[in-house]
Amino acid sequence: MELRDLRYFETIAELQHLGRASAKLHRTQPALTGSIRRLERECGAALFERAGRGIQLTEAGRVLLKWAQ
């Protein structure tokens, strides 16, 4: 698990929107998606789920966020 991926994850979780996180982090959306996929693969669970036009944390995502902070 890379620290960079956790930092991206925290920002995405805070903003609950991949596009806004992309702008804030100055990274492309595909780069952030790849980062989340790596974390999900390592955790063995989905971290986000779609919520309207945004995204929200799953239970596994909430646990990882507490751990990351």
Side-chain angles (χ1 to χ4, degrees), residues 8-35:
Y8 293 167
F9 168 74
E10 283 184 284
T11 302
I12 296 166
E14 171 193 328
L15 298 175
Q16 296 183 358
H17 195 276
L18 203 55
R20 285 187 281 244
S22 173
K24 182 174 183 176
L25 294 167
H26 306 288
R27 297 288 177 253
T28 64
Q29 287 187 26
L32 295 182
T33 300
S35 176

Side-chain angles (χ1 to χ4, degrees), residues 18-66:
L18 203 55
R20 285 187 281 244
S22 173
K24 182 174 183 176
L25 294 167
H26 306 288
R27 297 288 177 253
T28 64
Q29 287 187 26
L32 295 182
T33 300
S35 176
I36 295 304
R37 284 189 181 142
R38 281 191 299 274
L39 287 173
E40 289 177 334
R41 191 170 39 250
E42 290 179 32
C43 293
L47 301 174
F48 292 100
E49 60 189 5
R50 290 207 169 274
R53 291 184 174 232
I55 54 176
Q56 65 184 20
L57 289 170
T58 62
E59 184 59 36
R62 286 189 285 277
V63 169
L64 181 62
L65 183 60
K66 284 185 181 185

